[in-house]
Amino acid sequence: MRQKIVAGNWKMNTTLAEGIELVNQIVGKIEEVPQDVKLIVNTPFTHLFPVSKIIGDIKCPFCRSKISLGAQNCADKEKGAYTGEVSAKMLASVSKAVGTVAGAPEGATGAPVEYVILGHSERRGYYGETNAILLEKIKLALSEGLKVIYCVGEALEERKAGKHFEVVGNEIKEVLFNLSPEQMKNIVVAYEPIWAIGTGETATKEQAQEIHEFIRKTLAEKFGALAEETSILYGGSCKPSNAKELFSQKDIDGGLIGGASLKADDFIAIAKSF
Ligand code: PEP
């Protein structure tokens, strides 16, 4: 059974106070989320520490197991003189630090930063992140025990030119084909057509299913049966009104949600759309 996932990508939104308020609202509604659905909140770096504590403090184990914490990026270098960068090791260290805060109960730890989004089209487009750079980031993230939400997707001109399979196929082959099957077990793929991100325009369920099936078949060329176990998420203007029809498709295992993840009601409604 593939894991059903609804992952929120907060991007560069919310002040720390607003982010804490948002995650408290999500946690307040966590009981509504079906037990077989995993929520992931991918917050800005500045929010990881307090959010780790909030999630770590969820008392009910069933509710706690439904929500994970993630980041939106990590460096392609291990450590050193890279001003402004945040390493995979730093992300992996966040939860351990929660117990060191004054007044924390002995042995207290927060929720680990369990996931990191890599390969988002905004990172590829605005910050020049190539497949080669992304492979380095992924290897470092995996070596620190993080799981990776690896994004792929084509631009509008590429779709119009009928090149979407080629573009997405290359993003898979040039990066994920360099991983071992053991490493691949910790990868979630997110298909996000660039023309649908933040535009209000969503891929039709047929368009999305067609390319999700293609991604799974491509993964199977290298990883065989493991491709059937890999969660493949759809991202691009996914919202409560269209999530159900997208998630009903055979190869769509959930969503990577941008705008709609900033409202707790919408995020939870999407998680209830399987
Ligand atoms: C995203 O950027 O990951 C995304 C899916 O954004 P939106 O849902 O706002 O289109």
Side-chain angles (χ1 to χ4, degrees):
M1 269 289 268
R2 294 194 290 269
Q3 174 69 57
K4 294 175 189 163
I5 295 173
V6 172
N9 176 10
W10 292 10
K11 310 193 186 187
M12 197 172 71
N13 291 302
T14 71
T15 61
L16 188 49
E18 288 163 351
I20 288 172
E21 169 72 13
L22 176 56
V23 82
N24 275 323
Q25 287 172 359
I26 293 168
V27 168
K29 290 171 180 290
I30 196 86
E31 277 183 29
E32 295 176 32
V33 175
Q35 196 62 52
D36 62 345
V37 176
K38 161 80 75 191
L39 287 186
I40 307 170
V41 287
N42 295 278
T43 77
F45 289 138
T46 44
H47 300 23
L48 289 170
F49 186 77
V51 173
S52 164
K53 177 157 179 359
I54 292 168
I55 296 177
D57 280 349
I58 297 175
K59 294 281 171 304
C60 148
F62 292 113
C63 293
R64 171 66 194 88
S65 67
K66 288 191 232 178
I67 181 163
S68 292
L69 177 59
Q72 300 169 24
N73 188 23
C74 70
D76 62 337
K77 303 284 191 302
E78 215 177 313
K79 63 173 185 171
Y82 301 102
T83 303
E85 289 294 285
V86 172
S87 71
K89 194 185 263 309
M90 290 172 184
L91 296 180
S93 74
V94 167
S95 64
K96 291 166 203 136
V98 169
T100 68
V101 172
E106 209 190 323
T109 58
V113 177
E114 205 179 327
Y115 290 85
V116 57
I117 298 173
L118 294 172
H120 193 284
S121 57
E122 289 156 12
R123 300 290 323 169
R124 291 181 191 262
Y126 301 147
Y127 302 100
E129 294 189 2
T130 61
N131 285 338
I133 291 172
L134 291 167
L135 178 58
E136 290 312 306
K137 291 187 176 207
I138 290 176
K139 284 185 187 160
L140 284 166
L142 294 174
S143 73
E144 292 297 334
L146 301 173
K147 297 179 187 132
V148 173
I149 301 175
Y150 176 62
C151 303
V152 297
E154 81 286 354
L156 185 59
E157 312 77 66
E158 291 164 336
R159 178 158 281 260
K160 282 189 178 154
K163 289 193 170 152
H164 43 298
F165 292 115
E166 185 187 327
V167 170
V168 169
N170 285 341
E171 288 174 338
I172 296 281
K173 288 179 186 165
E174 289 176 16
V175 179
L176 301 184
F177 275 25
N178 292 293
L179 302 180
S180 68
E182 247 349 273
Q183 289 174 312
M184 187 60 208
K185 284 182 187 161
N186 291 313
I187 304 286
V188 172
V189 177
Y191 168 65
E192 299 205 307
I194 299 170
W195 45 273
I197 295 178
T199 59
E201 188 156 342
T202 319
T204 63
K205 60 181 191 311
E206 292 82 11
Q207 284 173 322
Q209 166 54 29
E210 182 185 42
I211 200 136
H212 278 235
E213 185 177 349
F214 167 78
I215 291 170
R216 203 175 300 290
K217 282 193 175 142
T218 305
L219 290 174
E221 285 172 28
K222 166 82 180 171
F223 297 104
L226 189 54
E228 281 303 316
E229 303 298 315
T230 305
S231 296
I232 306 178
L233 314 182
Y234 170 79
S237 298
C238 184
K239 42 190 179 262
S241 58
N242 58 25
K244 207 175 189 70
E245 67 171 12
L246 288 160
F247 296 174
S248 66
Q249 300 302 298
K250 187 165 76 60
D251 288 293
I252 300 183
D253 305 308
L256 179 55
I257 319 295
S261 71
L262 296 170
K263 288 194 183 131
D265 285 345
D266 286 354
F267 192 50
I268 297 290
I270 292 171
K272 289 160 76 178
S273 299
F274 287 92

